[in-house]
Amino acid sequence: MSDEVGLPEAVSMAIGGMVGGGIFAVLGVVAGAAGTLAWAAFVVAGVLAACAGYSLLRLNGLCASPRSPVGYVERFTDDNTTLAGVVGWTFVFGYVGTMAMYAYAFGGYFVELTGVSTVASVSIQPFVSALTVAAFVSLNVFGAHASGRAEDVLVGLKVAILLVFGVGGVAYGATHGGLSFGLSNLGIGPLVAAAVSFVAFEGWELLLFDQENIADPRETVRKAIYISIAGATGLYIMVALVTTNLAGIDAIQQHAETALAVAARPFLGQAGFVLISVAALFSTGSAINATLFSSARLSKRLVADDLLPSRLRDASADEPVRPLATLGVLAAGFAFLGSLDAISSFASLAFISIFGGLSFLAFREREDLATAVIPAVGTVGGVSSAAALLWHLFDAERGTFWTVLALAVVVVGVEVLYFERESIASEVRSAERRVENEL
């Protein structure tokens, strides 16, 4: 990859970070909540992502020089480094969740493609998922150039295969009874599913963390974000429509992790199943690579600003080896121990919270009605989506609800303890002195 990233490469990075989750990791979960209206859920989530994109770009434009989303919080909250640090930590843990989700899906497709699900009566999927993360950690340790070249190849392959699936599926459906849009089933389902699918639109904001390596960053990032969100939304709509019609909701719920491959069988046969499974491996691998690449560099910046523990600092390495290893271990652990529903819901909640909060920040900085409406929609949409997601989990998946809630409490607790560590240490020392004086 060249020293400065241009528009095509920026779009490739953003799409690479999004599509792996939206299509191959969460479609089964979304279809379970919305049925044949899964495509509508992606429309709603895409609109909210576009509102968040506008809000972040506006905050970026109001800064004297390009900043990251964490920098926006500092800039527009009177240098509140604690709040900025909490946002940074939430980003990091959200990326860990998305990488775990991609790795989980990778393991599922690998097992289906090879036909080997157990060894000595032990499921191999968790091991495949963990080893996949380890492989991409190793790739990134070799440097940005190797990682960037791999990303270009992976994105190109998966988009080409998905276009074959989408266009072929639409043509097959149109000539075999037509495709149902499910409009007779309108209800709350698509709204709940939109909240679940929000993680499908994580990825475009990675460009804002790497602007120093992008040519003409303000203009290139602006175009790349809008192009990637619009392109991903269109792709999600087409693939969701084809999958829910050709595979059927029952089959999707039974094979949530491999729904697209099941949907390819009616018009492409077993070759279609294999083709889509291969695309899934490329896609989820691409998403792990893109997210790991940028989140490790984000972690390195947060360490430099004392917003992450100094033990993650690399004394002399050009590549952020310690952040890469730490993020990799956490993501592999989530993928090994978690469920797809819990991982995807936790990641969605993290990014809903961040994007809703930053949309509110952009709303506060409004100048007139034209700069207020879109951030307002993003803010209200973020709050509503978070509430809908939690309500859905509590009502329909109580075990997943408690898992996600426990993860959120742990993450927030760790963040608070880290940023209040000096005051806590001071209180402990004061208490020790009082005890000594009493003795």
Side-chain angles (χ1 to χ4, degrees):
M1 199 157 59
S2 61
D3 291 336
E4 285 197 331
V5 173
L7 181 60
E9 293 81 6
V11 172
S12 177
M13 288 174 63
I15 290 179
M18 283 192 284
V19 174
I23 295 300
F24 297 106
V26 299
L27 180 56
V29 180
V30 173
T36 51
L37 281 170
W39 64 270
F42 285 117
V43 172
V44 175
V47 169
L48 294 180
C51 290
Y54 172 88
S55 298
L56 268 67
L57 287 169
R58 171 155 175 75
L59 293 174
N60 195 47
L62 290 174
C63 297
S65 59
R67 291 195 181 197
S68 72
V70 177
Y72 308 153
V73 177
E74 283 189 289
R75 166 68 175 78
F76 298 106
T77 60
D78 298 324
D79 294 322
N80 189 329
T81 55
T82 297
L83 183 58
V86 168
V87 171
W89 275 64
T90 306
F91 262 121
V92 170
F93 280 101
Y95 291 138
V96 167
T98 56
M99 285 187 287
M101 183 181 67
Y102 303 145
Y104 194 99
F106 186 101
Y109 272 95
F110 181 89
V111 166
E112 290 293 329
L113 185 61
T114 61
V116 179
S117 59
T118 61
V119 174
S121 300
V122 176
S123 174
I124 68 168
Q125 178 178 342
F127 296 94
V128 172
S129 299
L131 289 173
T132 300
V133 175
F136 280 102
V137 169
S138 300
L139 177 65
N140 275 266
V141 167
F142 283 107
H145 188 68
S147 176
R149 286 186 299 181
E151 181 64 16
D152 290 340
V153 173
L154 292 171
V155 172
L157 284 171
K158 74 178 178 184
V159 169
I161 295 175
L162 284 173
L163 285 174
V164 170
F165 170 83
V167 174
V170 169
Y172 179 87
T175 56
H176 289 73
L179 298 175
S180 172
F181 286 85
L183 296 177
S184 60
N185 300 320
L186 285 174
I188 195 172
L191 298 179
V192 172
V196 177
S197 71
F198 201 81
V199 70
F201 291 90
E202 177 280 318
W204 53 266
E205 80 290 342
L206 293 171
L207 299 177
L208 292 163
F209 287 113
D210 203 27
Q211 293 183 78
E212 66 270 19
N213 295 321
I214 297 176
D216 189 12
R218 290 193 193 273
E219 188 65 16
T220 300
V221 169
R222 182 183 67 83
K223 291 179 179 178
I225 285 176
Y226 289 139
I227 291 171
S228 62
I229 291 176
T233 303
L235 189 60
Y236 294 167
I237 292 170
M238 179 172 61
V239 173
L241 185 62
V242 169
T243 302
T244 54
N245 275 270
L246 299 188
I249 301 303
D250 290 340
I252 290 174
Q253 291 178 331
Q254 293 173 9
H255 306 280
E257 297 165 25
T258 57
L260 267 73
V262 172
R265 277 197 174 116
F267 66 99
L268 292 175
Q270 183 61 22
F273 182 90
V274 173
L275 182 68
I276 297 304
S277 296
V278 171
L281 297 179
F282 282 127
S283 185
T284 51
S286 167
I288 294 170
N289 186 54
T291 308
L292 184 62
F293 176 85
S294 294
S295 60
R297 281 149 185 78
L298 165 62
S299 300
K300 187 176 181 178
R301 293 192 190 96
L302 294 177
V303 170
D305 294 336
D306 196 31
L307 299 178
L308 283 179
S310 59
R311 289 183 178 85
L312 294 176
R313 181 177 289 111
D314 290 301
S316 59
D318 292 331
E319 297 301 320
V321 176
R322 288 185 182 178
L324 281 168
T326 303
L327 294 172
V329 169
L330 290 172
F334 273 37
F336 190 89
L337 299 173
S339 68
L340 183 60
D341 283 352
I343 295 169
S344 58
S345 297
F346 169 74
S348 284
L349 186 61
F351 287 105
I352 287 171
S353 302
I354 292 172
F355 292 145
L358 288 170
S359 292
F360 175 71
L361 204 56
F363 176 76
R364 283 204 327 173
E365 299 300 320
R366 66 191 182 278
E367 296 175 351
D368 49 36
L369 183 62
T371 59
V373 173
I374 295 178
V377 172
T379 303
V380 174
V383 173
S384 302
S385 296
L389 175 58
L390 292 173
W391 174 85
H392 166 71
L393 293 177
F394 183 80
D395 181 64
E397 301 176 45
R398 195 67 58 86
T400 302
F401 170 81
W402 291 116
T403 300
V404 171
L405 187 63
L407 286 172
V409 169
V410 170
V411 169
V412 173
V414 169
E415 292 171 352
V416 172
L417 287 174
Y418 180 77
F419 290 108
E420 297 298 325
R421 63 194 186 281
E422 292 182 0
S423 60
I424 293 174
S426 177
E427 290 292 333
V428 170
R429 287 192 295 268
S430 297
E432 290 175 344
R433 284 194 294 268
R434 285 195 299 270
V435 171
E436 290 175 356
N437 292 334
E438 291 174 358
L439 294 176

